[in-house]
Coordinates of all heavy atoms in Angstrom, one line a residue:
M1 N 0.8 -1.2 0.0 CA 0.0 0.0 0.0 C 0.9 1.2 0.0 O 1.8 1.3 0.8 CB -0.9 0.0 1.2 CG -1.8 1.2 1.3 SD -3.0 1.1 2.6 CE -4.1 -0.2 2.0
R2 N 0.6 2.2 -0.8 CA 1.3 3.4 -0.9 C 0.8 4.5 0.0 O -0.4 4.6 0.2 CB 1.3 3.9 -2.4 CG 2.1 3.0 -3.3 CD 2.0 3.5 -4.7 NE 2.7 2.5 -5.5 CZ 3.7 2.9 -6.3 NH1 4.1 4.1 -6.4 NH2 4.3 2.0 -7.1
L3 N 1.7 5.4 0.4 CA 1.3 6.5 1.3 C 0.2 7.4 0.7 O -0.8 7.8 1.3 CB 2.5 7.3 1.7 CG 2.2 8.5 2.6 CD1 1.6 8.1 3.9 CD2 3.4 9.4 2.8
L4 N 0.3 7.7 -0.6 CA -0.7 8.5 -1.3 C -2.1 7.9 -1.2 O -3.0 8.7 -1.0 CB -0.2 8.8 -2.7 CG -1.1 9.7 -3.5 CD1 -1.1 11.1 -2.9 CD2 -0.6 9.9 -4.9
S5 N -2.2 6.6 -1.3 CA -3.5 6.0 -1.3 C -4.1 6.1 0.1 O -5.3 6.2 0.3 CB -3.5 4.6 -1.8 OG -2.7 3.8 -0.9
V6 N -3.2 6.1 1.2 CA -3.7 6.1 2.5 C -4.1 7.6 2.9 O -5.1 7.8 3.6 CB -2.6 5.7 3.5 CG1 -3.0 5.9 5.0 CG2 -2.2 4.2 3.3
T7 N -3.5 8.6 2.4 CA -3.8 10.0 2.7 C -5.2 10.4 2.2 O -5.7 11.4 2.6 CB -2.7 10.9 2.2 OG1 -2.7 10.8 0.8 CG2 -1.4 10.7 2.8
K8 N -5.7 9.7 1.2 CA -7.0 10.0 0.7 C -8.2 9.4 1.4 O -9.3 9.7 1.1 CB -7.1 9.6 -0.8 CG -6.1 10.4 -1.7 CD -6.2 10.0 -3.1 CE -5.2 10.8 -3.9 NZ -5.2 10.4 -5.3
K9 N -7.9 8.5 2.4 CA -9.0 7.8 3.1 C -9.3 8.6 4.4 O -8.4 9.1 5.1 CB -8.5 6.4 3.5 CG -8.2 5.6 2.3 CD -7.7 4.2 2.7 CE -7.4 3.4 1.5 NZ -7.0 2.1 1.8
P10 N -10.6 8.7 4.7 CA -11.0 9.4 5.9 C -10.6 8.5 7.1 O -10.7 7.3 7.1 CB -12.5 9.5 5.8 CG -12.9 8.5 4.8 CD -11.7 8.3 3.9
V11 N -10.2 9.2 8.2 CA -9.9 8.5 9.5 C -11.1 8.7 10.4 O -11.5 9.8 10.7 CB -8.6 9.1 10.1 CG1 -8.3 8.5 11.4 CG2 -7.4 9.0 9.1
I12 N -11.6 7.5 10.9 CA -12.8 7.5 11.7 C -12.5 6.8 13.1 O -11.7 5.8 13.1 CB -13.9 6.6 11.0 CG1 -14.1 7.1 9.6 CG2 -15.1 6.5 11.8 CD1 -14.7 8.5 9.5
K13 N -13.0 7.4 14.2 CA -12.9 6.8 15.5 C -13.8 5.7 15.6 O -15.0 5.8 15.4 CB -13.1 7.8 16.6 CG -12.1 8.9 16.7 CD -12.1 9.7 18.0 CE -13.4 10.4 18.2 NZ -13.3 11.3 19.4
V14 N -13.4 4.5 16.1 CA -14.2 3.4 16.3 C -15.2 3.5 17.5 O -16.2 2.9 17.5 CB -13.4 2.0 16.4 CG1 -12.7 1.7 15.1 CG2 -12.5 2.1 17.6
E15 N -14.8 4.3 18.5 CA -15.6 4.5 19.7 C -17.0 5.1 19.4 O -18.0 4.7 19.9 CB -14.9 5.4 20.7 CG -13.7 4.8 21.3 CD -12.4 5.1 20.6 OE1 -12.5 5.8 19.5 OE2 -11.3 4.7 21.0
D16 N -17.0 6.1 18.5 CA -18.3 6.8 18.2 C -18.6 7.0 16.8 O -19.6 7.6 16.4 CB -18.3 8.2 19.0 CG -17.2 9.1 18.5 OD1 -16.4 8.7 17.7 OD2 -17.1 10.2 19.1
G17 N -17.7 6.6 15.9 CA -17.9 6.7 14.4 C -17.7 8.1 13.9 O -18.1 8.4 12.8
S18 N -17.1 9.0 14.7 CA -16.9 10.4 14.2 C -15.7 10.5 13.3 O -14.7 9.7 13.4 CB -16.7 11.3 15.4 OG -15.6 11.0 16.1
F19 N -15.8 11.4 12.4 CA -14.7 11.7 11.5 C -13.6 12.5 12.2 O -13.9 13.5 12.9 CB -15.3 12.6 10.3 CG -14.2 13.1 9.4 CD1 -13.6 12.3 8.4 CD2 -13.9 14.5 9.5 CE1 -12.7 12.9 7.6 CE2 -12.9 15.0 8.6 CZ -12.3 14.2 7.7
V20 N -12.3 12.1 12.0 CA -11.2 12.7 12.7 C -10.5 13.6 11.7 O -10.1 14.7 12.0 CB -10.2 11.7 13.3 CG1 -9.1 12.4 13.9 CG2 -11.0 10.8 14.2
G21 N -10.2 13.1 10.5 CA -9.5 13.9 9.5 C -8.8 13.0 8.5 O -9.2 11.9 8.3
Y22 N -7.8 13.6 7.8 CA -7.0 12.9 6.8 C -5.5 12.9 7.2 O -5.1 13.9 7.8 CB -7.2 13.5 5.4 CG -8.6 13.4 4.9 CD1 -9.5 14.4 5.1 CD2 -9.0 12.3 4.2 CE1 -10.8 14.3 4.6 CE2 -10.3 12.2 3.7 CZ -11.1 13.2 3.9 OH -12.4 13.1 3.4
I23 N -4.8 11.9 6.9 CA -3.3 11.8 7.2 C -2.6 12.9 6.4 O -2.8 13.0 5.2 CB -2.8 10.4 6.9 CG1 -3.4 9.4 7.8 CG2 -1.2 10.4 7.1 CD1 -3.0 8.0 7.5
K24 N -1.8 13.7 7.1 CA -1.1 14.7 6.3 C 0.4 14.6 6.5 O 1.2 15.1 5.7 CB -1.5 16.2 6.7 CG -0.9 16.7 8.0 CD -1.3 18.2 8.1 CE -0.5 18.8 9.2 NZ -0.7 20.2 9.3
D25 N 0.9 13.9 7.6 CA 2.3 13.7 7.8 C 2.5 12.5 8.7 O 1.6 11.9 9.2 CB 2.9 14.9 8.5 CG 4.4 15.1 8.3 OD1 5.0 14.2 7.7 OD2 4.9 16.1 8.9
M26 N 3.8 12.0 8.8 CA 4.1 10.9 9.7 C 5.5 11.1 10.3 O 6.3 11.8 9.7 CB 4.0 9.6 8.9 CG 5.0 9.4 7.9 SD 4.9 7.8 7.1 CE 3.3 7.8 6.4
E27 N 5.7 10.4 11.4 CA 7.0 10.5 12.0 C 7.6 9.1 12.0 O 6.9 8.1 12.4 CB 6.9 11.0 13.4 CG 8.2 11.3 14.1 CD 8.0 12.1 15.4 OE1 7.4 13.2 15.4 OE2 8.4 11.5 16.4
I28 N 8.8 8.9 11.5 CA 9.4 7.6 11.3 C 10.7 7.6 12.2 O 11.5 8.5 12.3 CB 9.8 7.4 9.9 CG1 8.6 7.5 9.0 CG2 10.6 6.1 9.7 CD1 8.9 7.4 7.5
D29 N 10.8 6.5 12.9 CA 12.0 6.2 13.7 C 13.1 5.7 12.8 O 13.0 4.7 12.1 CB 11.8 5.2 14.8 CG 13.0 4.8 15.7 OD1 14.0 5.5 15.5 OD2 12.9 3.9 16.5
L30 N 14.2 6.5 12.6 CA 15.2 6.2 11.6 C 16.0 4.9 12.0 O 16.5 4.3 11.1 CB 16.1 7.4 11.4 CG 15.5 8.6 10.8 CD1 16.5 9.7 10.7 CD2 14.9 8.3 9.5
L31 N 16.1 4.7 13.3 CA 16.9 3.5 13.7 C 16.1 2.2 13.4 O 16.7 1.2 12.9 CB 17.2 3.6 15.2 CG 18.1 4.7 15.7 CD1 18.2 4.7 17.2 CD2 19.4 4.6 15.0
S32 N 14.9 2.2 13.6 CA 14.1 0.9 13.4 C 13.4 0.9 12.0 O 12.8 -0.1 11.6 CB 13.0 0.7 14.5 OG 12.1 1.7 14.4
S33 N 13.3 2.1 11.4 CA 12.6 2.3 10.1 C 11.2 2.0 10.2 O 10.6 1.4 9.2 CB 13.3 1.4 9.0 OG 14.6 1.8 8.8
K34 N 10.6 2.3 11.3 CA 9.1 2.1 11.5 C 8.4 3.4 11.7 O 9.0 4.3 12.3 CB 8.9 1.1 12.7 CG 9.4 -0.3 12.5 CD 9.1 -1.1 13.7 CE 9.6 -2.5 13.4 NZ 9.3 -3.4 14.5
I35 N 7.2 3.4 11.3 CA 6.3 4.6 11.5 C 5.9 4.6 13.0 O 5.4 3.6 13.5 CB 5.1 4.5 10.7 CG1 5.5 4.5 9.2 CG2 4.1 5.7 11.0 CD1 4.3 4.3 8.2
E36 N 6.2 5.8 13.7 CA 5.8 5.9 15.1 C 4.5 6.6 15.3 O 3.7 6.2 16.2 CB 6.9 6.6 15.8 CG 8.2 5.8 16.0 CD 9.1 6.5 17.0 OE1 9.0 7.7 17.3 OE2 10.0 5.8 17.4
L37 N 4.2 7.7 14.5 CA 2.9 8.3 14.7 C 2.5 9.0 13.4 O 3.3 9.2 12.5 CB 3.0 9.4 15.8 CG 4.0 10.5 15.8 CD1 3.4 11.7 15.0 CD2 4.3 10.9 17.2
L38 N 1.3 9.3 13.3 CA 0.7 9.9 12.2 C 0.1 11.3 12.6 O -0.4 11.4 13.7 CB -0.4 9.1 11.6 CG -0.1 7.7 11.1 CD1 -1.3 6.9 10.7 CD2 0.9 7.7 9.9
V39 N 0.2 12.3 11.7 CA -0.3 13.6 12.0 C -1.5 13.8 11.1 O -1.4 13.6 9.8 CB 0.7 14.7 11.8 CG1 0.1 16.1 12.0 CG2 1.9 14.5 12.7
L40 N -2.7 14.0 11.6 CA -3.9 14.1 10.8 C -4.3 15.6 10.7 O -4.1 16.3 11.7 CB -5.0 13.3 11.5 CG -4.8 11.9 11.8 CD1 -6.0 11.3 12.4 CD2 -4.4 11.1 10.5
H41 N -4.8 16.0 9.6 CA -5.3 17.3 9.4 C -6.8 17.2 9.4 O -7.4 16.5 8.7 CB -4.8 17.8 8.0 CG -5.5 19.1 7.6 ND1 -5.2 20.3 8.3 CD2 -6.3 19.5 6.7 CE1 -5.9 21.3 7.8 NE2 -6.6 20.8 6.8
S42 N -7.4 18.0 10.3 CA -8.8 18.0 10.4 C -9.4 18.9 9.3 O -8.9 20.0 9.1 CB -9.2 18.6 11.8 OG -10.6 18.6 11.9
N43 N -10.4 18.4 8.6 CA -11.0 19.2 7.5 C -12.3 19.8 7.9 O -13.3 19.7 7.2 CB -11.2 18.2 6.3 CG -11.3 18.9 5.0 OD1 -10.9 20.0 4.8 ND2 -11.8 18.1 4.0
K44 N -12.2 20.6 8.9 CA -13.4 21.3 9.4 C -13.4 22.7 9.0 O -12.4 23.3 8.6 CB -13.5 21.2 11.0 CG -13.5 19.7 11.4 CD -13.7 19.7 12.9 CE -14.1 18.4 13.4 NZ -13.4 17.3 13.5
S45 N -14.6 23.4 9.1 CA -14.7 24.8 8.7 C -13.8 25.7 9.6 O -13.4 25.3 10.7 CB -16.1 25.2 8.8 OG -16.6 25.2 10.1
S46 N -13.6 26.9 9.2 CA -12.6 27.8 9.9 C -13.1 28.2 11.2 O -12.3 28.4 12.2 CB -12.3 29.0 9.0 OG -13.5 29.7 8.7
W47 N -14.4 28.5 11.5 CA -14.9 28.8 12.8 C -14.6 27.7 13.8 O -14.4 27.9 15.0 CB -16.3 29.3 12.8 CG -17.3 28.1 12.5 CD1 -17.8 27.7 11.3 CD2 -17.9 27.3 13.5 NE1 -18.6 26.7 11.5 CE2 -18.7 26.4 12.8 CE3 -17.8 27.2 14.9 CZ2 -19.4 25.4 13.5 CZ3 -18.5 26.2 15.5 CH2 -19.3 25.3 14.8
W48 N -14.7 26.5 13.4 CA -14.5 25.3 14.2 C -13.1 25.3 14.8 O -12.9 24.9 15.9 CB -14.8 24.1 13.4 CG -14.8 22.8 14.1 CD1 -13.7 21.9 14.2 CD2 -15.8 22.2 14.8 NE1 -14.0 20.9 14.9 CE2 -15.3 21.0 15.3 CE3 -17.1 22.5 15.1 CZ2 -16.1 20.1 16.1 CZ3 -17.9 21.6 15.9 CH2 -17.4 20.5 16.4
R49 N -12.1 25.7 14.0 CA -10.7 25.7 14.4 C -10.4 26.6 15.5 O -9.4 26.4 16.2 CB -9.8 26.0 13.2 CG -9.9 24.9 12.1 CD -9.0 25.2 11.0 NE -9.1 24.1 10.0 CZ -8.8 24.2 8.8 NH1 -8.2 25.3 8.3 NH2 -8.9 23.2 8.0
Y50 N -11.2 27.6 15.8 CA -10.9 28.5 16.9 C -11.2 27.8 18.2 O -10.6 28.2 19.2 CB -11.8 29.8 16.8 CG -11.4 30.7 15.7 CD1 -12.1 30.8 14.6 CD2 -10.2 31.4 15.9 CE1 -11.7 31.7 13.6 CE2 -9.7 32.3 14.9 CZ -10.5 32.4 13.7 OH -10.1 33.2 12.7
F51 N -12.1 26.8 18.2 CA -12.4 26.1 19.4 C -11.8 24.7 19.6 O -11.8 24.2 20.7 CB -14.0 26.0 19.5 CG -14.6 27.3 19.4 CD1 -15.2 27.8 18.3 CD2 -14.7 28.2 20.5 CE1 -15.8 29.0 18.2 CE2 -15.3 29.4 20.5 CZ -15.9 29.8 19.3
F52 N -11.3 24.2 18.5 CA -10.8 22.8 18.6 C -9.4 22.8 17.9 O -9.1 23.6 17.0 CB -11.8 21.8 17.9 CG -13.1 21.7 18.6 CD1 -14.2 22.4 18.3 CD2 -13.1 20.8 19.7 CE1 -15.4 22.3 19.0 CE2 -14.3 20.7 20.4 CZ -15.4 21.4 20.0
P53 N -8.6 21.8 18.2 CA -7.3 21.7 17.6 C -7.3 21.5 16.1 O -8.3 21.0 15.5 CB -6.7 20.4 18.3 CG -7.5 20.3 19.5 CD -8.9 20.8 19.2
K54 N -6.2 22.0 15.5 CA -6.1 21.9 14.0 C -5.5 20.5 13.6 O -5.7 20.1 12.5 CB -5.2 23.0 13.5 CG -5.8 24.4 13.7 CD -4.9 25.4 13.3 CE -5.4 26.8 13.6 NZ -4.5 27.9 13.3
E55 N -4.7 19.9 14.5 CA -4.0 18.7 14.2 C -4.5 17.6 15.2 O -4.8 17.9 16.3 CB -2.5 18.8 14.3 CG -1.9 19.6 13.2 CD -0.4 19.6 13.2 OE1 0.1 19.3 14.3 OE2 0.2 19.9 12.2
V56 N -4.4 16.4 14.8 CA -4.6 15.2 15.6 C -3.4 14.4 15.5 O -2.9 14.0 14.4 CB -5.8 14.4 15.2 CG1 -6.0 13.2 16.1 CG2 -7.1 15.3 15.2
I57 N -2.7 14.1 16.7 CA -1.5 13.3 16.7 C -2.0 11.9 17.1 O -2.6 11.6 18.1 CB -0.5 13.8 17.8 CG1 -0.2 15.3 17.6 CG2 0.7 12.9 17.8 CD1 0.4 15.6 16.3
L58 N -1.6 10.9 16.2 CA -2.1 9.6 16.3 C -0.9 8.6 16.4 O -0.2 8.4 15.4 CB -3.0 9.2 15.1 CG -3.5 7.8 15.0 CD1 -4.5 7.5 16.1 CD2 -4.1 7.6 13.7
P59 N -0.7 8.0 17.6 CA 0.4 7.0 17.7 C 0.0 5.8 16.8 O -1.2 5.5 16.7 CB 0.4 6.6 19.2 CG -0.5 7.6 19.9 CD -1.3 8.3 18.9
I60 N 0.9 5.2 16.3 CA 0.6 4.0 15.4 C 0.0 2.9 16.1 O -0.8 2.1 15.5 CB 1.9 3.6 14.7 CG1 1.6 2.8 13.4 CG2 2.8 2.8 15.6 CD1 1.0 3.6 12.3
S61 N 0.1 2.9 17.5 CA -0.5 1.8 18.3 C -2.1 2.0 18.3 O -2.8 1.1 18.6 CB 0.0 1.8 19.7 OG -0.2 3.1 20.3
S62 N -2.5 3.2 18.0 CA -4.0 3.5 18.0 C -4.7 3.1 16.7 O -5.9 3.1 16.6 CB -4.2 5.0 18.2 OG -3.8 5.4 19.4
L63 N -3.9 2.7 15.7 CA -4.4 2.3 14.4 C -5.1 0.9 14.6 O -4.5 0.0 15.1 CB -3.3 2.2 13.4 CG -3.7 2.0 12.0 CD1 -4.5 3.1 11.4 CD2 -2.4 1.8 11.1
V64 N -6.4 0.8 14.2 CA -7.1 -0.4 14.3 C -7.1 -1.2 13.0 O -6.8 -2.4 13.0 CB -8.6 -0.1 14.8 CG1 -9.4 -1.4 14.8 CG2 -8.6 0.5 16.2
H65 N -7.5 -0.5 11.9 CA -7.6 -1.1 10.6 C -7.5 -0.1 9.5 O -8.0 1.0 9.6 CB -9.0 -1.8 10.6 CG -9.2 -2.6 9.3 ND1 -8.6 -3.8 9.0 CD2 -10.0 -2.3 8.3 CE1 -9.0 -4.2 7.8 NE2 -9.9 -3.3 7.4
I66 N -6.8 -0.5 8.4 CA -6.8 0.2 7.2 C -7.6 -0.5 6.2 O -7.2 -1.6 5.7 CB -5.4 0.5 6.7 CG1 -4.5 1.2 7.7 CG2 -5.4 1.2 5.3 CD1 -3.1 1.4 7.3
G67 N -8.8 0.0 5.9 CA -9.7 -0.7 5.0 C -9.6 -0.1 3.6 O -8.8 0.8 3.3
D68 N -10.5 -0.6 2.7 CA -10.5 -0.1 1.3 C -11.0 1.3 1.2 O -10.5 2.1 0.4 CB -11.4 -1.0 0.4 CG -10.8 -2.4 0.3 OD1 -9.6 -2.5 0.4 OD2 -11.6 -3.3 0.0
D69 N -11.9 1.7 2.1 CA -12.5 3.0 2.1 C -12.2 4.0 3.3 O -12.2 5.2 3.1 CB -14.0 2.9 2.0 CG -14.5 2.2 0.8 OD1 -13.9 2.3 -0.2 OD2 -15.5 1.5 0.9
V70 N -11.8 3.4 4.4 CA -11.6 4.2 5.6 C -10.4 3.6 6.4 O -10.0 2.5 6.3 CB -12.8 4.3 6.5 CG1 -14.0 5.0 5.9 CG2 -13.2 3.0 7.1
I71 N -9.9 4.5 7.3 CA -8.9 4.1 8.3 C -9.6 4.2 9.7 O -10.2 5.2 10.0 CB -7.7 4.9 8.3 CG1 -7.0 4.8 6.9 CG2 -6.7 4.6 9.4 CD1 -5.9 5.8 6.6
L72 N -9.6 3.1 10.5 CA -10.2 3.1 11.8 C -9.1 3.2 12.9 O -8.1 2.6 12.8 CB -11.0 1.8 12.0 CG -12.1 1.5 11.0 CD1 -12.7 0.1 11.3 CD2 -13.1 2.6 11.0
V73 N -9.4 4.1 13.9 CA -8.5 4.4 15.0 C -9.2 4.4 16.3 O -10.5 4.5 16.3 CB -7.8 5.7 14.8 CG1 -6.9 5.7 13.5 CG2 -8.7 6.9 14.8
K74 N -8.5 4.3 17.4 CA -9.1 4.3 18.7 C -8.1 5.2 19.6 O -6.9 5.2 19.4 CB -9.3 3.0 19.3 CG -8.0 2.2 19.5 CD -8.2 0.8 20.1 CE -6.8 0.1 20.2 NZ -6.9 -1.1 20.9
G75 N -8.7 5.8 20.6 CA -8.0 6.5 21.6 C -7.0 7.6 21.1 O -5.8 7.4 21.3
I76 N -7.5 8.6 20.5 CA -6.6 9.6 19.9 C -6.3 10.8 20.9 O -7.0 11.0 21.8 CB -7.2 10.2 18.6 CG1 -8.5 10.9 18.9 CG2 -7.3 9.2 17.6 CD1 -9.0 11.7 17.8
Y77 N -5.1 11.4 20.6 CA -4.7 12.6 21.4 C -4.7 13.8 20.5 O -4.0 13.7 19.4 CB -3.3 12.3 22.0 CG -2.6 13.6 22.5 CD1 -3.1 14.1 23.7 CD2 -1.6 14.2 21.9 CE1 -2.5 15.3 24.3 CE2 -1.0 15.3 22.4 CZ -1.5 15.9 23.6 OH -0.9 17.0 24.1
E78 N -5.4 14.8 20.8 CA -5.5 16.0 19.9 C -4.5 17.1 20.4 O -4.4 17.3 21.6 CB -6.9 16.5 19.9 CG -7.8 15.5 19.2 CD -9.2 16.0 19.0 OE1 -9.5 17.2 19.3 OE2 -10.0 15.2 18.5
S79 N -3.9 17.8 19.5 CA -2.9 18.8 19.8 C -3.0 19.9 18.7 O -3.2 19.6 17.6 CB -1.5 18.2 19.8 OG -0.5 19.2 19.6
S80 N -2.9 21.2 19.2 CA -2.9 22.3 18.2 C -1.5 22.4 17.6 O -0.5 22.0 18.2 CB -3.3 23.6 18.8 OG -2.3 24.0 19.7
E81 N -1.4 23.0 16.4 CA -0.1 23.2 15.7 C 0.8 24.1 16.6 O 2.0 23.9 16.5 CB -0.3 23.8 14.4 CG -1.0 22.9 13.4 CD -1.2 23.6 12.1 OE1 -1.7 24.7 12.0 OE2 -1.0 22.9 11.0
E82 N 0.3 25.0 17.3 CA 1.2 25.9 18.1 C 1.9 25.1 19.2 O 3.0 25.5 19.7 CB 0.4 27.0 18.8 CG -0.2 28.0 17.8 CD -1.4 27.5 17.1 OE1 -2.1 26.6 17.6 OE2 -1.7 28.0 16.0
K83 N 1.3 24.0 19.7 CA 2.0 23.2 20.8 C 3.1 22.3 20.3 O 3.8 21.8 21.1 CB 0.9 22.4 21.5 CG -0.1 23.2 22.3 CD -1.1 22.3 22.9 CE -2.2 23.1 23.6 NZ -3.2 22.3 24.2
R84 N 3.1 22.0 19.0 CA 4.1 21.1 18.5 C 5.5 21.6 18.5 O 5.8 22.7 18.4 CB 3.8 20.7 17.1 CG 2.7 19.7 17.1 CD 2.5 19.1 15.7 NE 3.5 18.0 15.7 CZ 3.9 17.5 14.6 NH1 3.5 17.9 13.4 NH2 4.8 16.5 14.6

């Protein structure tokens, strides 16, 4: 599976079925060559961003399933871009 095909899939929380966002970046451990976390971009309207974080930081351990149409995750940690 290529990264470009994964970035086009919506990321959904399994706990409540809510839309989280789309993958925009990832962090890779250079020693082990493994993906450690994914950075999701929330695709919400501009007024929404004043009250909620712009990015969602997703540890790879939270990934439940990568399907044909969606990516399922659990237990996410949200962070604003200013905190990174």
